[in-house]
Amino acid sequence: MNDFFHFQGFTPWVFLVDMGLVFGLMLAGKFIRVKVKLIQKLFIPPSLIAGFLGLAFGPNGLGWLPFSGNLSSYSAVLIALVFSTLPFSSQKSSAKEVIKRVGPMWVYAQIGMLLQWGIMGLVGIYLFRAIWPSLHQAFGAMLPTGFYGGHGTAAAIGSAFENLGGSLKWEDAMTLGMTTATVGVVMAIVVGLVIIKWAARKKQTAFIADFKDLPNELRSGLLPKGKRDSLGEATVSSISIEHYTFHFAIVFFVAFLGYVLSVAVKNWCSGLQAPYNGLELPVFSCAFVAGLLLKKLFDLCKVSEYVSNHTVQREGSFFTDLLVTCGVASIKTGVVVQYWLPLLVLIVIGVAVVFFITFYFGRRLSPSYWFERSIFAWGWWTGTMAMGIALERIVDPQMKSKTMDDYALAYLPIAPVEIILITLIPISFSAGWGGLLMWICLALSAVLLILARSMKWWNPKRAAMQSQSSEQAK
């Protein structure tokens, strides 16, 4: 099939081919979900099945499907579109309620980042170097490079180590980072689905029950007559503009504003001194902020009454399905593992550490819906945000827990810390004070825990309330 399509740069027809293949895989994924009982038992959504099919038969697999190589770029755009829908699809909440929700999420997400870097970095320095003295001091840091950071961070840190001169140059960093990133994506989904299955059986989920208690339409995903949801009512006349055109226009314009804001911040920071000259706010976070501002303007101008929350929410689900498929299909599988034994040990230890961080702190730093927030963090901290969203969609199909809303706001103060840390990792380890940087990460985590306790965000007894919250949600 690759011989039939001749790609010469990116054109609208290339985009059509990519999307045609993606949607074709989604239809195949839906067919598999309806017909294969094992897939139903694992709650695997068609978008995720489509992603695995794209990975297996696309350029990173057998090469039968002529994807153009832009799937990873589509994923970045789709994330921005997903977060652009959130301000218009969420119900109104008071500022006090938002701070109460977002504060714990910020501490949880920030601690998750700092502990993963700090613990695994020190494990590499003190444990792995004791067993394998020839390993680079930053070998342990390659776990969070791939797990928390993903392929993008692996490329950034790997290229930074490769660009160092003389004996400081470490050419293997790129390969190791890409390897842990690829394994992390697999861990995110495989282990994540096992955890979801266990949580549903133990009544720890708020929106899904044990599989044996689910009606057939929820297992297959096909709604019979009498149980089909309404897609809402039109808020504008089709004589002037189609209802969905109006709502898609809002979402795409917000995503565009987010991109403009991100580029503006990047250009402004480029004139600052290091490490701030590398600061770049994620487009999806900027899009969420832009959406909040536009929503406020709509409220003042009485436009909000013509914006259907239900329609925008459906559009967000549409973009999420695309995001999951493109994100999984674009995984780079051609990674050569050069240090198989220490790398295997590193991954085993890393999975255990991230599992503890995710669910121990998630249970105690979530004012509500602790499992829904934790499983999103598991997918994010081991694989990518797309994996986190995929797992979140399984346990919270209608996004009632507001996990993504809170994450979008909480990530804004986290992004600069992450950028600075990624910038300092190659410099610090090459200069010989990588251990100091890792200890600082642990110290900052301790400070955040003290803050959480003082703000009453830390509640070890909160997990016992989950069963009651779950019953109320159902």
Side-chain angles (χ1 to χ4, degrees):
M1 184 176 276
N2 285 308
D3 294 334
F4 183 80
F5 296 98
H6 301 283
F7 295 122
Q8 295 180 352
F10 184 81
T11 68
W13 296 111
V14 172
F15 176 76
L16 176 64
V17 171
D18 283 340
M19 289 299 102
L21 291 172
V22 166
F23 284 112
L25 292 174
M26 282 189 178
L27 293 176
K30 181 59 181 177
F31 179 80
I32 294 173
R33 171 66 181 265
V34 172
K35 296 297 183 180
V36 181
K37 298 298 182 182
L38 177 61
I39 299 298
Q40 295 179 9
K41 290 182 179 180
L42 292 175
F43 299 103
I44 301 179
S47 59
L48 193 56
I49 302 172
F52 284 128
L53 292 175
L55 178 63
F57 299 110
N60 297 318
L62 297 175
W64 294 353
L65 299 178
F67 284 114
S68 66
N70 293 295
L71 289 182
S72 58
S73 300
Y74 297 153
S75 298
V77 175
L78 288 167
I79 289 174
L81 290 170
V82 169
F83 279 91
S84 296
T85 66
L86 296 179
F88 301 94
S89 60
S90 303
Q91 298 297 323
K92 290 185 178 180
S93 302
S94 65
K96 183 178 180 181
E97 179 185 354
V98 171
I99 294 174
K100 183 179 179 181
R101 292 195 337 257
V102 174
M105 173 64 87
W106 165 65
V107 172
Y108 177 45
Q110 189 72 82
I111 285 178
M113 181 187 75
L114 294 173
L115 285 181
Q116 190 175 149
W117 281 103
I119 293 175
M120 296 310 301
L122 293 175
V123 165
I125 294 174
Y126 295 110
L127 177 61
F128 281 79
R129 295 259 300 171
I131 302 175
W132 297 284
S134 62
L135 289 179
H136 194 281
Q137 277 201 348
F139 182 83
M142 292 300 102
L143 191 283
T145 294
F147 270 36
Y148 186 91
H151 290 87
T153 299
I157 290 181
S159 61
F161 272 112
E162 289 180 353
N163 292 332
L164 294 172
S167 60
L168 299 178
K169 186 175 183 178
W170 188 29
E171 296 182 349
D172 297 331
M174 180 76 76
T175 298
L176 293 172
M178 288 294 179
T179 302
T180 58
T182 302
V183 173
V185 171
V186 176
M187 291 293 101
I189 295 301
V190 174
V191 178
L193 290 173
V194 173
I195 296 171
I196 290 173
K197 187 70 174 177
W198 171 87
R201 189 169 60 250
K202 295 296 183 180
K203 309 297 184 184
Q204 294 297 304
T205 56
F207 306 106
I208 61 171
D210 193 1
F211 181 81
K212 65 182 181 181
D213 300 325
L214 291 176
N216 182 66
E217 61 264 20
L218 293 184
R219 287 180 287 174
S220 66
L222 295 176
L223 295 175
K225 291 183 178 180
K227 293 187 177 181
R228 296 176 181 177
D229 298 331
S230 172
L231 293 180
E233 59 182 5
T235 59
V236 294
S237 172
S238 60
I239 296 177
S240 61
I241 186 172
E242 178 58 45
H243 173 78
Y244 283 104
T245 304
F246 174 67
H247 287 81
F248 271 115
I250 294 173
V251 174
F252 273 88
F253 182 64
V254 168
F256 166 73
L257 292 178
Y259 177 73
V260 171
L261 179 59
S262 177
V263 173
V265 172
K266 179 181 179 180
N267 292 339
W268 180 75
C269 291
S270 63
L272 301 178
Q273 295 182 348
Y276 305 104
N277 57 0
L279 180 63
E280 181 178 357
L281 294 180
V283 175
F284 68 85
S285 289
C286 294
F288 185 78
V289 173
L292 291 175
L293 296 176
L294 189 61
K295 177 65 166 58
K296 188 65 176 179
L297 178 62
F298 281 3
D299 291 340
L300 294 175
C301 299
K302 308 298 182 181
V303 177
S304 294
E305 62 180 293
Y306 299 103
V307 178
S308 170
N309 293 348
H310 191 65
T311 298
V312 178
Q313 185 181 67
R314 293 287 183 170
E315 291 178 354
S317 298
F318 164 71
F319 292 128
T320 301
D321 286 336
L322 280 176
L323 168 63
V324 172
T325 301
C326 292
V328 175
S330 62
I331 293 173
K332 305 297 182 182
T333 57
V335 178
V336 179
V337 180
Q338 297 186 5
Y339 306 99
W340 72 270
L341 182 56
L343 189 58
L344 176 63
V345 177
L346 178 71
I347 291 173
V348 171
I349 296 176
V351 169
V353 168
V354 177
F355 181 88
F356 172 77
I357 294 172
T358 301
F359 294 99
Y360 179 82
F361 290 102
R363 185 184 285 262
R364 290 158 177 80
L365 283 171
S366 298
S368 60
Y369 307 117
W370 79 269
F371 182 78
E372 285 71 23
R373 293 168 182 261
S374 298
I375 200 65
F376 173 77
W378 170 261
W380 168 28
W381 295 347
T382 54
T384 65
M385 189 188 307
M387 303 299 102
I389 293 175
L391 296 174
E392 176 71 13
R393 283 291 304 278
I394 295 174
V395 299
D396 184 10
Q398 298 182 5
M399 300 297 178
K400 291 183 178 180
S401 66
K402 297 185 178 180
T403 296
M404 292 172 58
D405 302 50
D406 297 347
Y407 164 73
L409 289 175
Y411 192 75
L412 286 174
I414 294 174
V417 179
E418 183 178 2
I419 294 298
I420 293 173
L421 190 58
I422 293 173
T423 303
L424 292 179
I425 289 293
I427 300 173
S428 62
F429 276 99
S430 299
W433 44 274
L436 174 61
L437 181 61
M438 299 298 97
W439 282 113
I440 291 175
C441 289
L442 296 186
L444 290 176
S445 300
V447 172
L448 288 173
L449 285 177
I450 294 174
L451 174 64
R453 289 179 180 273
S454 65
M455 297 294 292
K456 302 187 184 304
W457 293 337
W458 176 271
N459 187 356
K461 297 180 180 179
R462 183 177 290 126
M465 302 165 57
Q466 178 67 18
S467 296
Q468 181 179 358
S469 299
S470 300
E471 293 300 324
Q472 293 176 351
K474 295 171 185 175

